[in-house]
Amino acid sequence: MAENLDYLGKLDPDDPKQASQQIANKLRAAILTRRLAPGDKLPSQPELASRYGVARETVKRALELLRSERLIITRQGSGAFVRAQTQRAVELRPHIEAAFERPHVTIDFAGFSGETLRDALAEVLDKVRVGRLAPETIAVRVLVSDMSVPMALPARAETQSDDPAVRERANRITRRAADGIVDQVTELGDLGLIRSATVEVRMHRGSPQFKLYVLNGEEVFFGFYPAVERTVTIKGEPTAIYDLMGKDVPLFHYAVTDDGTSHGTQFVEASRQWFDSLWTTIAYRYEG
């Protein structure tokens, strides 16, 4: 890292604690005081070893302590990052932007409409247009529920059952978001700004219960849609419905680490397998 690391302090030779524990303590303090914020990359192992005058194995032990406390995650080939324990949807964009620093970007989304993904992509793709980010390829897959068929949710609150008018409203929201994602990404390819830009949208008949983002096959953000009763306008009339609320739900962050048996690595792999299983079986092409 180019920045000054003085905020990490130095080791105390009179402290009876091992050097690895002292290093862990200093990094922990920086995380808890938000000197290192969620999603920030930690200094590299060589930088920390040089900073504290210790072997890299000592630094590795310190990082392992923080990882066991679920304060950091390590990404293969990328380094260590402050864990985003409970990200909210509005905080997804920095992680998508980081994904676009790779030459080949893949994003898989499963959920209700993809509105959050569409909005997060808008800012990131603007940076691609002006040359601040320069991936070679982008491939996006979107898996959403087909609101043209009966669903358990959303539903009319009065009858607690499926209602075509309620579904039509949800269908408009879904299609608006899906079409927006398609237009944003394919435009980059049409303009010749990147070598390849593809978006594929598929639908299925299952009622959406959660949202899932898989970034570059290495990071997953997962959140549940709570069912809430609220009043919306349908055909000019206020209507009470049971709706799926996803805009501000907490997203839980998982990432592949060097440890193939870690919780994060296993969750990412399971998420990828789940997505692919629906994509290749019950999902069908979206006709925009």
Side-chain angles (χ1 to χ4, degrees):
M1 294 175 66
E3 68 172 305
N4 190 296
L5 302 182
D6 286 347
Y7 69 93
L8 291 177
K10 296 182 179 180
L11 300 185
D12 182 356
D14 297 324
D15 192 325
K17 291 189 288 291
Q18 295 182 344
S20 59
Q21 182 65 64
Q22 289 192 56
I23 295 171
N25 290 348
K26 294 183 181 302
L27 289 170
R28 185 187 302 105
I31 292 170
L32 296 180
T33 59
R34 293 296 178 115
R35 183 60 182 81
L36 288 168
D40 280 357
K41 185 177 181 180
L42 272 64
S44 67
Q45 291 184 20
E47 287 171 330
L48 289 171
S50 174
R51 169 73 190 176
Y52 293 116
V54 298
R56 286 186 62 178
E57 285 300 316
T58 302
V59 172
K60 285 184 179 179
R61 287 196 293 273
L63 296 179
E64 186 57 38
L65 287 171
L66 297 178
R67 193 167 72 177
S68 68
E69 298 172 16
R70 298 181 62 79
L71 288 175
I72 67 169
I73 58 172
T74 53
R75 300 175 190 160
Q76 195 168 16
S78 299
F81 296 77
V82 179
R83 178 181 286 276
Q85 292 273 16
T86 308
Q87 294 291 346
R88 289 190 178 276
V90 293
E91 296 172 331
L92 182 68
R93 187 198 56 77
H95 296 270
I96 291 180
E97 183 171 328
F100 271 72
E101 293 174 359
R102 301 284 188 88
H104 304 288
V105 180
T106 64
I107 298 176
D108 291 339
F109 167 77
F112 171 44
S113 70
E115 284 184 297
T116 299
L117 177 60
R118 179 199 61 195
D119 295 344
L121 278 173
E123 290 187 55
V124 176
L125 295 182
D126 280 342
K127 294 186 177 183
V128 176
R129 291 185 187 91
V130 299
R132 292 175 60 187
L133 294 169
E136 296 176 24
T137 67
I138 303 172
V140 179
R141 296 190 297 176
V142 176
L143 185 62
V144 292
S145 297
D146 186 350
M147 289 295 162
S148 68
V149 300
M151 290 277 167
L153 287 168
R156 186 177 289 268
E158 183 181 4
T159 60
Q160 299 185 18
S161 62
D162 174 73
D163 185 289
V166 174
R167 272 193 288 107
E168 175 54 32
R169 172 184 173 275
N171 194 36
R172 289 196 305 272
I173 294 171
T174 296
R175 289 181 173 273
R176 187 166 60 238
D179 291 342
I181 293 170
V182 171
D183 291 344
Q184 288 176 153
V185 176
T186 56
E187 180 190 37
L188 296 181
D190 294 342
L191 294 173
L193 296 177
I194 60 175
R195 194 175 75 208
S196 173
T198 62
V199 184
E200 188 173 0
V201 181
R202 294 187 183 181
M203 311 185 86
H204 61 89
R205 292 180 172 85
S207 184
Q209 302 295 320
F210 58 84
K211 59 169 64 179
L212 175 77
Y213 305 85
V214 184
L215 308 184
N216 287 338
E218 296 178 353
E219 285 188 279
V220 163
F221 291 84
F222 177 91
F224 292 102
Y225 289 125
V228 299
E229 181 175 351
R230 68 191 191 106
T231 299
V232 299
T233 300
I234 297 179
K235 295 182 178 180
E237 295 293 331
T239 305
I241 67 171
Y242 290 140
D243 203 6
L244 298 156
M245 298 300 291
K247 195 168 184 179
D248 294 317
V249 300
L251 295 177
F252 299 95
H253 182 210
Y254 303 86
V256 171
T257 71
D258 294 327
D259 180 3
T261 64
S262 72
H263 183 62
T265 298
Q266 292 184 54
F267 193 91
V268 171
E269 181 59 28
S271 298
R272 292 171 56 186
Q273 290 178 2
W274 175 86
F275 187 97
D276 288 338
S277 71
L278 264 66
W279 188 264
T280 58
T281 56
I282 65 172
Y284 45 92
R285 184 175 178 176
Y286 166 73
E287 301 295 342

